Amino acid sequence: MFLMQLDRVMGYWPVLLKGIAMTVSLSVLSLLIGVVLGFAFGIIRAGRNRTLARLLGLYVDFFRGTPFLLQVFIVFFILPVTGIELSAFTSGVIAMSNVAACFIGEIVASGIKAVPTGQSEAAAASGMTRAQQMRHVVLPQAVRIVTPSLVGQFVLLIKDSSVVSAIGLLDLTRAGWVMVQSIPNGLLVFGIVGLSYFIICYPLIYISRRMERRDQSTIL
Amino acid sequence: MIEFSNLNKWFGALHVLSDINLSVAKGEVVVVCGPSGSGKSTLIRCVNGLEPFQKGGLIVDGTELGGSEARLRDLRMEVGFVFQQFNLYPHKTALENVTLAPIHVRKLSKVDAEERGRALLAKVGLGDKMGNYPHQLSGGQQQRVAIARSLAMQPKIMLFDEPTSALDPEMINEVLDVMVSLAREGMTMMVVTHEMGFARKVADRVIFMDRGAIVEMASPETFFTAPKNDRTRDFLSKVLQH
Amino acid sequence: MLGNLNIRVMLEYLPDIWHGFLATLMLSAAGFAGAIVLGIVACALSIQPLRWLKWPAVAYVDAIRATPLLAQLYFLYFGLPRLGVLVPEMVIGVIALSLNSGAYVAEIIRSGILSIQRGQVEAGMSTGLTYLQRMRLIVLPQALRPTVSPLIGQAIVLVKDSSLLSLISVVELTRAGQMIAIDRFMPIEGLVSTALAYLVLYYLLKLMAGLWVHQNRLPGRA
């Protein structure tokens, strides 16, 4: 019985592979856009223009305070009303890059604030402009501070991508959903789906842990 | 009181203590000095069982180290340890820091423990700081609380691991004064320090360590006036220059 | 775009949103309570020295962290009936939320404990405190304080995550909003009302975290 079902699940491997490809491409694309936007957000959030920083803060709060599922629906249902026609894939990428940018932005902002002010003062004293101080002195140090959290964000993004299955994209989770309709063994099907996610995510989790623990003394 | 016999310790491939032989008698004050990385801190951490060792023996107050956790705990009740970084509990007041172990380890009543704690804090000159939290105290005050905390267990031996190295210069003497009076009361002490004035004043013996071994051991008189070893002379010329 | 919002319809459906809001609140509270219990147990097992007790806890935390909640939810939703466990969707939802957040709670508490300096433990050892006494008197009182803010953060995540329960047809806030959309073909009104309700919860929790941080620095600190 079990072996038969396992055999049938294996018959679905093209669907599974398609799902994995979709999950990975959604996540990687959104990560790239999210990092670029996120650094822009972070620089503004930590910047001198407090009005702009607060306005962006409200925008960020909206996306940090509402469920991602809701955001996917908003992109998918509301943007078309304004005349922008979007495929499910584009909607997914927009929703994911946006939420990634919001979270990464806050991380980058705190990274920038964690660089001692003496650093930019030293740079200013040697005649650098604000932009040069940021580019050559502050950001390189901030990047080092935030890298472990960025890897963690990537994992979150991969996991968030499962939610876009709700608008019909055939990602890994949706592939499981499709399979379970004809193979009535949820433990097996979603066990395999879970294992696939694990194989993708665990190395990243491991890396981010290693980076975080580098300078942590342990007491146990 | 303390008896090292051929004690050896390795950190991986690094031989941090090699063939240590040393005995410290009751009431004796031994000062241990040497360059950083010479193994002097590791040496006294062994006495309190904070560091395991691989070869040789160590008997403290009649207890052979390397035994069970329970016996180690009994021993630690008799051996006080003062850390370079104080290690006061930040969530407890000065008095609570001092009374914690007497209440939970010696099973003293809270009233008795506090009475003892107040007396000890007064003795180290902090009678007016009992209710303060560590972060409200200066480094010198924190270290004196830490000494009172160890004394509250009424130990037979006190170990000091560079107790003044983390202090601003103007605070060093207030801590050393407490240690001097303790030595004069007859406490058995092992002190890792570079405070040579302290060594001259109260030490019965001074030990110089380098690369994990005891290089020289002498009375302060001989140690400072006629050191035998080149490395000792070299070291002394560096610390005594000022 | 928001100028076209039909406020009248939003007000008309306010009672439904309110019910959804309460349902989300209850589901989240139940899920979080379960997560705290699971988290404490998993953390305790993962820091104690016995290997055969340690690895199940570590495996649990890693398995949860490396897979999405939705997949975990479907695993239980399609899997539990197969094991003969027939429970309402709502219960499955709460179990999934607890299992999921429990792993993160375990990590939060664990990192609180690991943040305590080695010297604190040594100071306890040198005065003869036992392992349990050191944990209870020195490590935990210091370790738990800094975990409160991240735990509230995890509660925020859990409230938002509970929206996924709408996908296994549990009626909560997101589902309530969808009903407006379906009843009246007004997706925007439904989504906006829902989003606002979630934001209320978000800001409340954020405020709590802020107040905690403000009031609970180390005792006696000015």
Side-chain angles (χ1 to χ4, degrees):
Chain A
M1 182 67 181
F2 175 80
L3 284 179
M4 234 174 71
Q5 282 176 335
L6 187 67
D7 194 50
R8 287 187 61 196
V9 171
M10 287 303 126
Y12 270 97
W13 68 269
V15 179
L16 204 62
L17 270 189
K18 248 186 169 168
I20 292 175
M22 175 60 84
T23 292
V24 170
S25 49
L26 270 173
S27 310
V28 171
L29 201 56
S30 312
L31 180 76
L32 293 178
I33 303 172
V35 165
V36 173
L37 259 179
F39 268 86
F41 281 15
I43 292 170
I44 295 172
R45 288 282 287 145
R48 273 196 177 158
N49 189 334
R50 293 322 295 162
T51 324
L52 195 59
R54 292 222 177 84
L55 278 176
L56 183 62
L58 274 181
Y59 176 84
V60 166
D61 264 353
F62 181 86
F63 289 99
R64 282 164 59 104
T66 53
F68 183 58
L69 178 62
L70 202 65
Q71 298 168 21
V72 172
F73 285 150
I74 288 176
V75 173
F76 194 62
F77 290 112
I78 295 191
L79 285 186
V81 175
T82 64
I84 307 168
E85 283 300 326
L86 296 172
S87 67
F89 182 78
T90 319
S91 303
V93 171
I94 290 177
M96 283 175 64
S97 322
N98 179 63
V99 82
C102 288
F103 279 91
I104 293 172
E106 293 306 288
I107 294 170
V108 171
S110 69
I112 291 174
K113 285 176 192 159
V115 177
T117 47
Q119 291 294 311
S120 42
E121 283 169 3
S126 60
M128 288 192 198
T129 65
R130 292 272 306 162
Q132 284 171 325
Q133 293 165 32
M134 186 56 84
R135 196 168 103 72
H136 298 292
V137 179
V138 179
L139 271 188
Q141 297 183 56
V143 167
R144 196 166 302 166
I145 298 170
V146 305
T147 308
S149 329
L150 283 183
V151 180
Q153 281 299 312
F154 189 32
V155 176
L156 285 185
L157 209 52
I158 294 170
K159 292 192 284 179
D160 272 347
S161 74
S162 68
V163 173
V164 301
S165 64
I167 53 171
L169 271 184
L170 188 80
D171 75 324
L172 191 43
T173 300
R174 185 76 179 178
W177 194 85
V178 168
M179 287 192 283
V180 89
Q181 306 300 320
S182 60
I183 307 162
N185 187 343
L187 294 178
L188 176 65
V189 169
F190 280 96
I192 289 173
V193 168
L195 192 66
S196 312
Y197 275 113
F198 188 87
I199 292 168
I200 302 172
C201 293
Y202 191 73
L204 293 166
I205 292 176
Y206 182 78
I207 292 169
S208 84
R209 266 191 203 152
R210 281 289 294 271
M211 288 195 284
E212 274 164 10
R213 282 190 192 162
R214 239 186 335 216
D215 53 358
Q216 203 176 38
S217 68
T218 159
I219 62 159
L220 295 165
Chain B
M1 272 316 244
I2 307 172
E3 190 81 46
F4 289 84
S5 45
N6 280 316
L7 185 135
N8 280 273
K9 177 177 172 63
W10 289 266
F11 278 133
L14 196 66
H15 201 173
V16 280
L17 291 177
S18 61
D19 293 329
I20 302 291
N21 285 296
L22 169 68
S23 63
V24 180
K26 190 168 180 343
E28 207 180 359
V29 176
V30 175
V31 165
V32 185
C33 60
S36 67
S38 59
K40 53 193 192 303
S41 288
T42 314
L43 181 80
I44 70 160
R45 286 169 62 88
C46 282
V47 179
N48 205 24
L50 289 172
E51 298 281 351
F53 51 86
Q54 284 79 32
K55 226 179 95 191
L58 174 55
I59 298 171
V60 180
D61 189 28
T63 304
E64 172 98 51
L65 265 82
S68 71
E69 170 84 3
R71 269 175 62 203
L72 188 57
R73 231 165 47 74
D74 288 343
L75 173 69
R76 281 170 174 161
M77 290 160 68
E78 312 301 332
V79 182
F81 198 100
V82 175
F83 298 87
Q84 182 179 358
Q85 299 296 338
F86 333 135
N87 293 340
L88 291 184
Y89 310 130
H91 60 303
K92 303 271 184 204
T93 62
L95 185 60
E96 286 168 347
N97 263 281
V98 176
T99 58
L100 185 86
I103 291 174
H104 294 280
V105 180
R106 289 259 190 243
K107 307 292 179 198
L108 251 61
S109 72
K110 197 165 179 248
V111 180
D112 290 346
E114 285 187 352
E115 192 188 317
R116 187 188 285 182
R118 283 204 192 88
L120 282 168
L121 283 172
K123 183 179 168 191
V124 298
L126 293 171
D128 54 337
K129 302 283 184 195
M130 310 217 189
N132 289 39
Y133 286 92
H135 62 86
Q136 296 166 322
L137 301 173
S138 72
Q141 292 169 334
Q142 289 191 46
Q143 192 60 298
R144 284 185 282 152
V145 174
I147 293 174
R149 177 173 71 178
S150 298
L151 290 175
M153 291 296 286
Q154 299 182 323
K156 298 180 185 155
I157 301 169
M158 284 288 283
L159 307 169
F160 295 83
D161 185 8
E162 305 205 35
T164 55
S165 311
L167 298 177
D168 290 337
E170 74 272 20
M171 293 173 183
I172 290 176
N173 280 330
E174 60 190 62
V175 172
L176 290 180
D177 288 346
V178 171
M179 291 167 61
V180 167
S181 67
L182 203 55
R184 301 228 157 111
E185 285 166 22
M187 176 65 79
T188 311
M189 292 165 66
M190 277 186 82
V191 184
V192 173
T193 186
H194 288 167
E195 294 297 330
M196 292 305 146
F198 173 82
R200 270 208 181 101
K201 209 188 267 177
V202 295
D204 297 303
R205 264 186 299 163
V206 183
I207 288 173
F208 175 73
M209 285 185 72
D210 194 20
R211 292 173 220 161
I214 294 179
V215 174
E216 183 140 8
M217 173 151 51
S219 71
E221 185 65 29
T222 347
F223 186 85
F224 290 113
T225 50
K228 292 190 195 75
N229 194 289
D230 285 344
R231 278 186 273 168
T232 316
R233 259 186 298 251
D234 185 47
F235 176 78
L236 282 176
S237 73
K238 279 174 192 150
V239 287
L240 294 178
Q241 239 167 24
H242 316 287
Chain C
M1 137 185 143
L2 291 180
N4 301 330
L5 267 187
N6 191 330
I7 305 286
R8 202 181 48 76
V9 170
M10 283 170 70
L11 288 176
E12 194 182 313
Y13 279 89
L14 198 60
D16 295 282
I17 294 290
W18 174 243
H19 284 132
F21 180 83
L22 288 181
T24 288
L25 204 60
M26 306 285 265
L27 290 167
S28 306
F32 196 62
I36 293 284
V37 174
L38 270 171
I40 291 173
V41 172
C43 173
L45 290 181
S46 76
I47 60 176
Q48 57 76 46
L50 295 175
R51 254 165 193 279
W52 56 275
L53 278 175
K54 189 197 287 270
W55 80 258
V58 173
Y60 157 66
V61 170
D62 282 349
I64 293 290
R65 280 176 43 124
T67 53
L69 173 60
L70 188 55
Q72 294 157 15
L73 190 62
Y74 283 155
F75 180 79
L76 295 174
Y77 179 68
F78 292 110
L80 282 186
R82 175 139 184 107
L83 294 177
V85 184
L86 297 169
V87 286
E89 286 90 351
M90 208 177 73
V91 176
I92 294 181
V94 171
I95 294 174
L97 289 176
S98 295
L99 276 174
N100 182 270
S101 273
Y104 295 92
V105 169
E107 289 280 282
I108 290 169
I109 298 177
R110 191 182 140 87
S111 73
I113 290 174
L114 290 178
S115 71
I116 305 300
Q117 298 286 318
R118 171 94 207 155
Q120 289 289 313
V121 176
E122 286 184 348
M125 276 187 192
S126 73
T127 49
L129 294 174
T130 62
Y131 177 82
L132 286 177
Q133 285 175 326
R134 295 194 301 265
M135 270 290 163
R136 182 165 65 85
L137 300 166
I138 301 171
V139 177
L140 285 183
Q142 294 184 64
L144 293 185
R145 203 178 291 277
T147 63
V148 172
S149 285
L151 283 179
I152 295 177
Q154 186 55 37
I156 292 176
V157 170
L158 192 144
V159 168
K160 295 190 291 172
D161 277 351
S162 71
S163 73
L164 293 184
L165 270 50
S166 67
L167 297 177
I168 58 167
S169 56
V170 175
V171 179
E172 40 64 79
L173 195 44
T174 302
R175 191 75 176 175
Q178 282 175 338
M179 283 176 175
I180 307 182
I182 295 163
D183 275 11
R184 293 291 182 100
F185 301 106
M186 285 183 172
I188 302 181
E189 279 74 5
L191 291 173
V192 169
S193 319
T194 314
L196 290 178
Y198 276 114
L199 285 176
V200 169
L201 276 178
Y202 170 68
Y203 279 114
L204 274 178
L205 286 168
K206 220 177 140 174
L207 193 71
M208 272 171 60
L211 283 177
W212 169 269
V213 170
H214 189 72
Q215 287 187 347
N216 284 272
R217 308 189 186 269
L218 280 174
R221 182 157 289 184

